[in-house]
C-alpha cells in the first residue's frame, strides 16, 4: 500500500534548442507607399525584436527576434561576424560573444552597428545608400546623454535615417497595457521592470516619467542564471561541463517559480514527500553503453585465461633472456680467472681494472653469485609447469594490473616473491547494477525558488544592495500620502524576468505588508511581459528630424509620454577677464616678475569666524 502512495518522480529533459538562421524578407510594397513605414526596434539587452509599424495583419508581430550578441574572433573580417540566430549554439562560442551593452546601457557602438546591419538586411532594406524609413528605438531609463548622442550620430550619419524616436521599454509596455484596459490618459502608476541585466522602479506622475525618483537594482535574469549555475556546479562537481549557462536559462524560464512566502516555502521542502513530489529531475544526455556490460561470465573467464597464458609466455621468455645474459657474464669472469691460473698476472690485473674490481677474492665472489643465479634460472625453467605455477600467476597478475617495461619486469622476477594468489569471485554472485541514467540526472529542488528570490534578496548572491520591493518602498517614501495612494493603485509588472509563476502574488503580499492598514493597491501583470514594449513602441511617435539633430545636437530628445525627460547639458562659457579693480592691492616682490594676490581678513571678537577675500591677478 505504501508503494502505491509513493509519488511519481518528475523527469525532464533539456531541450537544448538550437537557433535557426533568420530568413531575409523581401521589402513589402505597402511599407514604401505612400510614405516609408517606420521600423520599430526593441533594443533589449537579452533579445532584440524588430518589425514594421504597419497596420496590416501580417505585421502584427515582430519579424525578427534574436539574441543581442555577436561572435567574432580577434582579427576576423567584419563579414565573418555571426549575429544572433546565425549562432546555432552559444556554448562553444561563449568566450567569443560580445554585446553592445554594459548592464542596460549601450556602450559598444561597433557591435550596435553590426546589430543594425543584421536588422536592416533581414528586413529587406539595402542600407548602403541610406535607410529611408524612420526608426523607433527603445533606450534605458535615464539614458546618459553621451550614449544617446552616439546612437543618434550612428543613425543619422551612418544610416542617414530621416527621423528617430526614443522611448523607455517599460513605459511603452505600461501605456500599451493601459490602452488595452481602457484606462483614460494622464496615467499615474508605478512600473516595475526587470530584464536581463538590471531592474527598474519607474514612477509615472500624470502621464510623465518622474526621472528624479527612478531607481535601478543591479539584479535581474543574468544574475539569477549565474547563481543557479554556481549552485548546481557545487552540487554536482562531476557534471561541470554539462551545467552550461544556456541550460540554466532554460531551467529559469521553464522550471522556476517565485515563492509567495520564501521561508514558509523552504520549510515545505524539508518534507520528504513534498520533495519527491516537487523536485524536477533534469536528465543530462549520456551514452548507455557500459564497458563490459554485455559480456557473459564464461567469456570473461576465457579472456582472463588467455591473458594469463600470454603473460606466462612473456614471463618465460624474459627468464630465458636473463639466464642467457647471466651465463655470458659468467663466461667472461671465468676467462679472467683462467689468466690467473695460467700465471699471466699483468693481463689478469689489467682485466680486473676494466671490470672495476680490486682483488681475486672479489672476482671469485662475483663468480659464485652468478653460478648460483644461473643454476636457479635453469631450475625455474625446468619446473615452470610445476610448483612455480602459482608464483607465475601472481607475477602475471601483477603485470596485468601494473604494466611495466621489460627492464622493470625482470626486476620483479624475484624468487622471494610471495606466492599468494588472488581469490576467485564466485560466478553466481549478483553484482549491483549501475544506473547510468540516474547518475546523469540533476535534482533541481529548492534551486527552483532560490534563484528568482535574489530579485527580492540580492544578499543571497553577496550583493550589497536593496531588493526590488525595498527599493519600491524607498521610492514611495519620497512622495506625499496622496501621491502614494495614486501610485500603488496602478502597480505594473513588465519585463522578461517578471514571468516567473507567483511573481504577481509575491508583489501583492509585499505591498500588503508595506502599506498602511486598510489601504488599497492594485498590481497588474503585462499581457506579454517580454513583447509588450515592442507593441507599445509601434503606436507612439515623438520624432527627432535630421534638421533638429544638426541644430540641437545628438543628445536632443523629443519628449513624449513614454520617453525619458530631456535635460540639456549646460556648458558654462568662459567669462572674459575684467580689469583689476581698485580694491585689489598688488604687491611686487623683489627678484620676481609674478603678481601675488593679497588676502585681507577681518576677525570678529565675538566669534572665531574668518572672512577672507582672495583675488588672483595674473601678470
Amino acid at each position: 500500500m505504501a508503494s502505491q502512495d509513493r509519488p511519481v518522480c518528475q523527469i525532464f529533459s533539456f531541450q537544448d534548442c538550437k537557433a535557426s538562421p533568420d530568413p531575409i524578407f523581401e521589402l513589402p510594397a505597402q511599407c514604401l507607399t505612400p510614405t516609408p513605414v517606420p521600423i520599430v526596434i526593441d533594443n533589449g539587452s537579452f533579445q532584440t525584436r524588430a518589425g514594421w509599424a504597419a497596420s496590416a495583419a501580417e505585421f502584427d508581430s515582430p519579424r525578427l527576434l534574436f539574441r543581442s550578441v555577436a561572435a567574432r574572433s580577434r582579427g576576423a573580417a567584419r563579414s565573418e561576424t555571426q549575429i544572433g540566430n546565425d549562432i546555432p549554439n552559444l556554448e562553444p562560442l561563449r568566450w567569443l560573444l560580445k554585446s553592445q551593452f554594459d548592464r542596460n546601457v549601450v556602450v559598444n557602438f561597433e557591435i550596435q552597428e553590426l546589430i543594425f546591419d543584421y536588422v536592416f538586411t533581414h528586413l529587406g532594406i539595402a542600407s548602403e545608400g541610406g535607410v529611408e524609413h524612420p526608426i523607433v528605438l527603445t533606450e534605458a531609463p535615464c539614458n546618459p546623454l553621451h550614449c544617446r548622442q552616439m546612437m543618434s550620430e550612428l543613425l543619422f550619419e551612418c544610416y542617414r535615417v530621416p527621423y528617430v524616436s526614443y522611448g523607455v521599454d517599460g513605459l511603452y509596455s505600461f501605456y500599451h497595457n493601459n490602452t488595452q484596459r481602457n484606462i483614460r490618459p494622464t496615467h499615474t502608476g508605478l512600473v516595475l521592470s526587470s530584464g536581463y541585466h538590471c531592474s527598474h522602479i519607474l514612477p509615472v506622475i500624470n502621464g510623465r516619467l518622474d526621472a528624479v525618483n527612478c531607481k535601478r537594482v543591479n539584479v535581474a535574469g543574468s544574475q539569477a542564471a549565474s547563481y543557479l549555475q554556481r549552485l548546481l556546479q557545487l552540487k554536482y562537481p562531476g557534471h561541470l561541463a554539462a551545467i552550461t549557462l544556456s541550460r540554466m536559462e532554460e531551467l529559469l524560464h521553464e522550471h522556476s517559480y517565485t515563492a509567495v512566502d520564501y521561508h514558509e516555502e523552504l520549510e515545505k521542502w524539508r518534507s520528504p514527500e513534498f520533495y519527491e513530489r516537487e523536485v524536477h529531475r533534469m536528465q543530462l544526455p549520456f551514452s548507455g553503453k557500459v564497458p563490459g556490460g554485455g559480456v557473459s561470465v564464461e567469456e570473461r573467464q576465457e579472456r582472463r585465461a588467455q591473458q594469463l597464458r600470454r603473460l606466462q609466455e612473456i614471463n618465460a621468455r624474459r627468464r630465458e633472456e636473463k639466464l642467457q645474459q647471466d651465463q655470458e657474464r659468467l663466461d667472461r669472469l671465468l676467462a679472467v680467472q683462467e689468466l690467473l691460473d695460467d700465471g699471466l698476472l699483468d693481463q689478469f690485473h689489467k682485466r680486473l681494472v676494466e671490470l672495476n674490481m680490486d682483488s681475486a677474492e672479489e672476482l671469485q665472489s662475483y663468480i659464485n653469485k652468478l653460478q648460483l643465479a644461473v643454476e636457479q634460472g635453469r631450475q625455474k625453467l625446468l619446473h615452470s609447469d610445476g610448483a612455480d605455477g602459482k608464483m607465475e600467476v601472481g607475477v602475471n597478475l601483477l603485470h596485468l594490473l601494473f604494466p611495466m617495461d621489460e627492464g622493470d619486469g625482470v626486476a620483479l622476477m624475484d624468487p622471494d616473491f610471495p606466492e599468494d594468489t588472488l581469490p576467485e569471485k564466485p560466478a553466481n554472485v549478483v553484482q549491483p547494477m549501475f544506473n547510468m541514467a540516474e547518475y546523469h540526472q540533476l535534482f533541481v529542488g529548492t534551486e527552483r525558488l532560490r534563484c528568482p528570490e535574489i530579485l527580492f534578496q540580492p544578499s543571497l548572491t553577496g550583493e550589497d544592495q536593496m531588493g526590488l520591493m525595498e527599493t519600491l518602498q524607498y521610492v514611495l517614501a519620497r512622495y506625499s500620502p496622496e501621491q502614494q495612494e495614486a501610485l500603488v493603485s496602478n502597480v505594473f509588472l513588465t519585463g522578461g524576468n517578471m514571468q516567473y509563476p507567483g511573481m504577481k502574488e509575491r508583489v501583492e503580499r509585499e505591498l500588503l505588508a508595506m502599506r498602511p492598514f486598510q489601504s488599497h493597491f492594485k498590481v497588474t501583470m503585462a499581457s506579454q511581459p517580454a513583447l509588450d514594449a515592442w507593441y507599445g513602441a509601434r503606436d507612439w511617435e515623438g520624432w527627432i528630424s535630421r534638421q533638429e539633430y544638426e541644430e540641437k545636437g545628438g543628445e536632443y530628445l523629443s519628449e513624449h509620454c513614454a520617453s525619458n525627460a530631456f535635460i540639456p547639458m549646460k556648458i558654462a562659457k568662459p567669462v572674459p577677464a575684467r580689469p583689476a579693480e581698485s580694491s585689489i592691492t598688488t604687491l611686487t616682490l623683489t627678484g620676481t616678475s609674478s603678481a601675488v594676490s593679497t588676502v585681507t581678513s577681518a576677525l570678529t571678537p565675538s566669534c572665531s569666524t574668518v572672512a577672507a577675500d582672495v583675488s588672483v591677478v595674473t601678470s
Side-chain angles (χ1 to χ4, degrees), residues 213-264:
N213 293 318
C214 290
K215 296 298 174 185
R216 183 178 79 174
V217 180
N218 292 324
V219 174
S222 64
Q223 288 81 8
S226 299
Y227 183 48
L228 179 58
Q229 183 183 33
R230 190 166 67 225
L231 289 177
L232 291 182
Q233 284 182 343
L234 290 172
K235 190 175 181 180
Y236 298 99
H239 301 304
L240 294 181
I243 303 174
T244 62
L245 203 57
S246 298
R247 286 175 175 169
M248 297 305 100
E249 291 172 355
E250 180 182 338
L251 276 179
L252 283 176
H253 297 162
E254 304 294 336
H255 302 277
S256 298
Y257 68 97
T258 303
V260 178
D261 189 325
Y262 179 64
H263 296 287
E264 180 181 343

Side-chain angles (χ1 to χ4, degrees), residues 186-445:
T186 65
H187 311 291
T188 297
L190 206 56
V191 179
L192 275 66
S193 174
S194 183
Y196 188 62
H197 282 302
C198 55
S199 306
H200 292 92
I201 310 292
L202 307 176
V204 179
I205 303 294
N206 296 328
R208 296 308 304 272
L209 174 67
D210 186 8
V212 176
N213 293 318
C214 290
K215 296 298 174 185
R216 183 178 79 174
V217 180
N218 292 324
V219 174
S222 64
Q223 288 81 8
S226 299
Y227 183 48
L228 179 58
Q229 183 183 33
R230 190 166 67 225
L231 289 177
L232 291 182
Q233 284 182 343
L234 290 172
K235 190 175 181 180
Y236 298 99
H239 301 304
L240 294 181
I243 303 174
T244 62
L245 203 57
S246 298
R247 286 175 175 169
M248 297 305 100
E249 291 172 355
E250 180 182 338
L251 276 179
L252 283 176
H253 297 162
E254 304 294 336
H255 302 277
S256 298
Y257 68 97
T258 303
V260 178
D261 189 325
Y262 179 64
H263 296 287
E264 180 181 343
E265 191 73 14
L266 285 181
E267 287 297 323
K268 292 181 182 179
W269 280 91
R270 293 181 180 272
S271 170
E273 294 79 11
F274 185 88
Y275 180 86
E276 288 293 332
R277 185 174 65 253
E278 297 297 331
V279 68
H280 286 194
R281 303 186 182 191
M282 304 304 301
Q283 184 66 62
L284 295 172
F286 69 97
S287 175
K289 296 181 180 180
V290 180
V295 182
S296 63
V297 177
E298 292 78 7
E299 291 177 350
R300 287 200 298 269
Q301 291 179 348
E302 179 63 27
R303 290 180 182 179
R304 184 181 179 186
Q306 291 177 0
Q307 290 175 350
L308 290 178
R309 285 194 297 269
R310 186 168 63 253
L311 289 173
Q312 285 178 357
E313 295 173 358
I314 295 173
N315 199 6
R317 186 168 62 252
R318 288 177 175 175
R319 288 184 182 275
E320 292 177 359
E321 293 174 355
K322 185 177 184 300
L323 178 60
Q324 183 179 0
Q325 293 174 0
D326 291 344
Q327 185 64 49
E328 292 176 355
R329 184 173 176 80
L330 177 61
D331 293 339
R332 289 196 300 269
L333 295 181
L334 290 175
V336 175
Q337 192 179 32
E338 289 178 358
L339 294 177
L340 178 62
D341 296 339
D342 295 340
L344 302 176
L345 298 179
D346 294 339
Q347 296 182 11
F348 175 74
H349 289 296
K350 183 178 180 181
R351 294 296 301 274
L352 280 182
V353 172
E354 292 176 357
L355 294 174
N356 197 19
M357 296 182 183
D358 297 332
S359 62
E361 290 78 8
E362 187 177 357
L363 175 63
Q364 187 62 41
S365 174
Y366 273 100
I367 290 174
N368 294 336
K369 290 180 180 179
L370 281 176
Q371 287 177 344
L372 179 61
V374 168
E375 184 64 26
Q376 289 179 351
R378 288 173 180 172
Q379 293 295 328
K380 288 179 181 179
L381 286 178
L382 291 176
H383 301 88
S384 59
D385 297 331
D388 284 345
K390 294 182 179 180
M391 184 178 69
E392 297 291 340
V393 172
V395 172
N396 292 333
L397 285 177
L398 186 63
H399 281 287
L400 178 63
L401 295 175
F402 305 101
M404 298 183 180
D405 297 334
E406 291 191 3
D408 298 333
V410 173
L412 288 174
M413 298 176 192
D414 193 355
D416 297 330
F417 190 81
E419 298 185 1
D420 52 345
T421 58
L422 297 178
E424 290 281 347
K425 291 184 179 180
N428 57 356
V429 174
V430 179
Q431 298 291 335
M433 295 297 295
F434 179 70
N435 193 338
M436 185 68 71
E438 187 171 351
Y439 174 74
H440 286 84
Q441 286 177 2
L442 305 179
F443 287 63
V444 185

Side-chain angles (χ1 to χ4, degrees), residues 123-137:
L123 289 180
I125 301 172
S127 59
E128 287 80 4
V131 177
E132 299 178 356
H133 299 265
I135 303 295
V136 181
L137 189 67

